[in-house]
Amino acid sequence: MAKALNCCLQFWRCVLIIIDAAFVLVGLALLALAIYLLVTQVDFAFITGTKYASGAVLLLVAGVITVLIAGIGLVGAAGLFNLLLSIYIGIMLVIVVLEITAGILGFVYQKQVSFVVQNRFTDALMAYRNETSKDYRSDVNGFIDFFQKSARCCGYLSPDDWTNTVYYGNSSGRYPASCLCSNQTSSLCVLQSAQTIWAQGCNTTLPGYLRGELVLLGGIGIAFGVIEIAGICVTIGLCACNLVVRRRKKSVTV
């Protein structure tokens, strides 16, 4: 009986250590990606409407939290500290509930993505400035340039969106470099203001791109949720075995 209990204890202990070690690696990967985004200034803060909800900041926070929680689990499993393991279970339960809530809200409000994106993209076009301007904002220019280059588009509905912007007026009627098309013979390009630019607006790709990112994040969230629930179950099993072993040892010594 005692041997079986020890085997049970060591089994759950090893499984939890493996799960938490994987979480540490995931957390470090999130931190590395966040640092990369901060360094390259590829940010979606203007679209989200707040710097605290930008991609880099969210990844940074998620990475730190993941590493800390995994650390609690690792220390608790290695030292068989039931208090730490109980804290670990409580935190994981809260995270699972938050993830489920976020998933439901994301599903409910996904149809509003196009409307919100159009408004924020239009605001970004109006706020776009030359780098030498005192009103220059790296988050605005970074987002517009990143997406126009990546999606091969110009403006939101069409390149004509730029004609009403401050940037266009201050640049003698010229489009930003991210609008320029390198292949002048391509049917996707058009000649305007003596520049060869992308003919399509970003409305054909941006909402779909963001929806795709939401689906990807949802899939990752589900995968994390499954692993987290497994971690909770394993931790409960470890605590149970640990309590039984401790009680048995006390009864033997008595």
Side-chain angles (χ1 to χ4, degrees):
M1 182 66 178
K3 185 176 180 181
L5 285 173
N6 284 326
C7 289
C8 165
L9 186 66
Q10 295 305 320
F11 172 77
W12 291 123
R13 188 183 193 182
C14 291
V15 172
L16 185 58
I17 288 174
I18 291 171
I19 290 175
D20 286 326
F23 271 126
V24 169
L25 294 177
V26 170
L28 292 175
L30 291 175
L31 288 173
L33 182 56
I35 293 170
Y36 167 77
L37 291 177
L38 289 170
V39 171
T40 57
Q41 295 183 341
V42 177
D43 210 335
F44 292 86
F46 196 84
I47 286 296
T48 60
T50 168
K51 65 180 180 179
Y52 299 111
S54 65
V57 174
L58 286 177
L59 286 174
L60 189 63
V61 172
V64 171
I65 292 174
T66 302
V67 171
L68 288 176
I69 294 173
I72 292 173
L74 281 172
V75 173
L80 294 176
F81 301 124
N82 274 12
L83 177 60
L84 281 180
L85 292 173
S86 299
I87 294 172
Y88 176 81
I89 292 172
I91 294 174
M92 294 289 273
L93 282 172
V94 171
I95 291 175
V96 169
V97 171
L98 290 175
E99 285 177 345
I100 292 173
T101 304
I104 293 172
L105 291 175
F107 178 77
V108 170
Y109 291 106
Q110 64 174 332
K111 293 183 180 179
Q112 298 183 16
V113 169
S114 297
F115 176 75
V116 173
V117 168
Q118 180 174 357
N119 287 341
R120 299 303 296 172
F121 198 98
T122 301
D123 291 342
L125 290 177
M126 298 306 297
Y128 193 95
R129 297 289 191 276
N130 286 307
E131 291 186 12
T132 55
S133 172
K134 64 177 182 178
D135 297 321
Y136 170 79
R137 289 179 56 181
S138 60
D139 58 338
V140 174
N141 285 40
F143 169 73
I144 292 293
D145 290 336
F146 169 76
F147 198 82
Q148 287 191 152
K149 285 180 181 178
S150 302
R152 298 181 177 183
C153 57
C154 185
Y156 189 75
L157 297 176
S158 74
D160 292 337
D161 291 340
W162 281 102
T163 59
N164 297 320
T165 64
V166 174
Y167 175 86
Y168 191 85
N170 291 340
S171 303
S172 302
R174 297 187 68 80
Y175 294 91
S178 55
C179 272
L180 302 184
C181 176
S182 57
N183 187 357
Q184 298 183 3
T185 60
S186 173
S187 59
L188 299 176
C189 304
V190 64
L191 183 64
Q192 285 187 210
S193 301
Q195 292 176 286
T196 304
I197 60 174
W198 298 110
Q200 69 174 356
C202 296
N203 66 314
T204 58
T205 52
L206 182 54
Y209 171 82
L210 292 178
R211 286 195 196 97
E213 293 298 302
L214 289 175
V215 170
L216 176 61
L217 288 174
I220 294 173
I222 291 172
F224 264 84
V226 171
I227 297 173
E228 286 160 359
I229 291 172
I232 291 171
C233 294
V234 169
T235 308
I236 291 173
L238 178 59
C239 286
C241 285
N242 193 26
L243 285 172
V244 172
V245 169
R246 286 184 178 182
R247 287 176 181 175
R248 187 173 182 82
K249 286 181 178 178
K250 285 183 180 179
S251 63
V252 170
T253 54
V254 173

